[in-house]
């Protein structure tokens, strides 16, 4: 069991993050993230950059496009960017400014033509 | 007490780190670290870049200078290539270190003007301190002295090549006296060191492109859906 990484509120990172494991950012991060694990923008965190991870949780502010299996925007969290995910959860009080792209299987009857 | 920041093992950060609060590195950082707090590079941790902190402790690998407002500690498991600058510097026997020891305040005017963003001194050239402790009064820092003498006179196998490591035999050479030789107990305890060439060079496991990069298995999302929508 690997320890969960943590970037505290006073820490500023400018650059790229990649690797595996869990990471919580309560500080500021400017740059892309590629993580084979859970990436969390903490309540005091501010992240600017595209995020690709197994799962993404937004409790603070995230600006950038997100690609993950699971995306969860918690109450108080704000995501500015497009989301591509299998599952997206938006809690009451969370904000998402952007498009969501999930794999939607529509019934046959609704296929073809315009809405 | 503020929760310390921690970069876990398996995570690499390429860029600049600054701010305040303690910072513990188990993973890899490529770039300068400038923290108003304690910086600890743990055994699995690697930093390629200059590190400045209120204190800097190295147990892993550091390629770059270490500046400590209060202290720099190079622990027994550490491998450091770079200069150490702090009012108090401790090098624990067993550590592998190549660089200058500048035991003085970072604010010492004789060092020149310290540039915290570049982690360098400009103006007055930094003097090379060759024997900084021999002239000191022993009442000064006795604990220090003990540590340093342990570091400066490690027992070595007699057949060991001279310090100029460029002429040392290659890794594959069978004739190379292994570090695990019985006459060098302090260095030989760690099995990780056994295969290293018998030189004073500090071997840094620098991250390379061959490192296993993770691949995120993602299903092709929305492609078929987009096609359907376009109809």
């Amino acid at each position: 069991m690997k320890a969960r990484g943590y970037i505290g509120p006073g820490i500023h990172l400018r650059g790229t993050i990649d690797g595996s494991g869990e990471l919580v950012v309560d500080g500021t991060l400017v740059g892309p993230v590629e993580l084979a694990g859970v990436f969390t923008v903490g309540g005091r965190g501010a992240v600017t950059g595209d995020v690709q991870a197994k799962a993404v949780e937004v409790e603070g502010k995230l600006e950038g496009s997100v690609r993950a299996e699971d995306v969860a925007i918690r109450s108080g969290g704000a995501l500015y960017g497009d989301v591509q995910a299998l599952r997206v959860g938006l809690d009451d009080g969370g904000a998402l400014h952007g498009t969501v792209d999930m794999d939607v299987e529509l019934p046959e009857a609704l296929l073809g033509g315009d809405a | 007490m503020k929760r310390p920041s921690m970069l876990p093992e398996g995570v690499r950060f390429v860029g600049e780190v600054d701010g305040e609060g303690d910072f513990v590195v188990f993973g890899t950082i490529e770039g300068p670290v400038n923290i108003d707090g304690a910086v600890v590079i743990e055994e699995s941790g690697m930093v390629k870049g200059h590190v400045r902190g209120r204190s800097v402790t190295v147990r892993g690998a550091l390629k770059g200078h270490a500046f400590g407002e209060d202290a720099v500690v190079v622990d027994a498991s550490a491998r450091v290539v770079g200069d150490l600058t702090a009012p108090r510097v401790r090098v624990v026997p067993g550590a592998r270190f190549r660089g200058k020891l500048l035991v003085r305040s970072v604010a010492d005017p004789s060092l020149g003007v310290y540039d915290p963003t570049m982690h360098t001194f400009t103006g007055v050239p930094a003097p090379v301190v060759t024997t900084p402790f021999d002239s000191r009064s022993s009442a000064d820092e006795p604990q220090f002295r003990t540590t340093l003498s342990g570091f400066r006179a490690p027992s070595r196998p007699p057949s060991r090549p001279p310090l100029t490591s460029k002429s040392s035999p290659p890794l594959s050479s069978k004739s190379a006296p292994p570090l695990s030789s019985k006459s060098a107990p302090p260095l030989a305890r760690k099995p990780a060191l056994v295969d290293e060439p018998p030189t004073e060079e500090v071997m840094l496991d620098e991250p390379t492109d061959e490192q296993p990069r993770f691949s995120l298995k993602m299903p092709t999302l929305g492609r078929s859906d987009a096609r359907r929508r376009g109809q």
Side-chain angles (χ1 to χ4, degrees), chain B residues 115-129:
Chain B
D115 182 346
T117 54
M118 298 300 289
H119 302 275
T120 51
F121 296 94
T122 54
V124 185
V128 180
V129 182

Side-chain angles (χ1 to χ4, degrees), chain B:
Chain B
M1 176 74 195
K2 221 182 204 175
R3 182 180 169 191
S5 298
M6 192 274 275
L7 190 77
E9 191 177 356
V11 174
R12 181 173 64 161
F13 174 74
V14 181
E16 298 163 41
V17 182
D18 54 25
E20 56 179 36
D22 298 343
F23 199 91
V24 186
V25 182
F26 288 91
T28 303
I29 293 178
E30 291 177 39
V33 178
N34 194 347
I35 298 281
D36 189 9
V39 180
V40 182
I41 303 171
E42 289 290 351
E43 271 195 62
S44 60
M46 288 184 282
V47 174
K48 195 161 112 184
H50 304 319
V51 178
R52 193 195 67 85
R54 199 169 294 159
S55 71
V56 178
T57 304
V58 186
R59 300 195 180 97
L62 168 65
K63 187 179 182 188
H65 304 327
F67 298 94
E69 305 284 351
D70 294 339
V72 166
V73 177
V74 177
D75 221 332
S77 53
R79 291 159 293 166
V80 177
V81 176
D83 299 347
L84 312 177
T85 307
R88 294 185 299 133
V89 178
R90 203 156 78 92
V91 180
V92 178
R96 317 189 95 204
F97 161 63
R98 192 178 70 212
K100 283 181 289 189
L101 280 168
L102 302 166
V103 185
R104 56 193 65 199
S105 167
V106 175
D108 191 323
S110 70
L111 284 172
V113 181
Y114 177 63
D115 182 346
T117 54
M118 298 300 289
H119 302 275
T120 51
F121 296 94
T122 54
V124 185
V128 180
V129 182
T130 44
T131 55
F133 301 105
D134 294 349
S135 56
R136 275 203 180 183
S137 65
S138 55
D140 228 341
E141 279 165 298
Q143 193 192 354
F144 217 13
R145 216 180 167 79
T146 318
T147 322
L148 243 286
S149 65
F151 167 68
R152 288 170 69 189
S155 54
R156 293 197 182 97
S159 54
R160 240 167 148 226
L163 279 178
T164 45
S165 48
K166 295 284 181 277
S167 60
S168 61
L171 253 173
S172 56
S173 169
K174 293 272 189 231
S175 62
L179 276 177
S180 56
S181 146
K182 279 177 205 131
S183 52
L187 281 176
R189 257 182 320 208
K190 282 185 80 70
L193 293 176
V194 169
D195 289 330
E196 292 186 18
T199 73
E200 284 297 308
E201 296 267 356
V202 180
M203 307 301 288
L204 273 182
D205 302 323
E206 286 184 30
T208 62
D209 286 340
E210 284 95 67
Q211 264 191 339
R213 298 284 304 275
F214 84 92
S215 61
L216 185 61
K217 286 211 166 47
M218 289 288 293
T220 49
L221 289 175
R223 295 252 186 278
S224 56
D225 191 42
R227 228 180 293 123
R228 260 178 251 139
R229 259 185 254 137
Q231 280 170 358

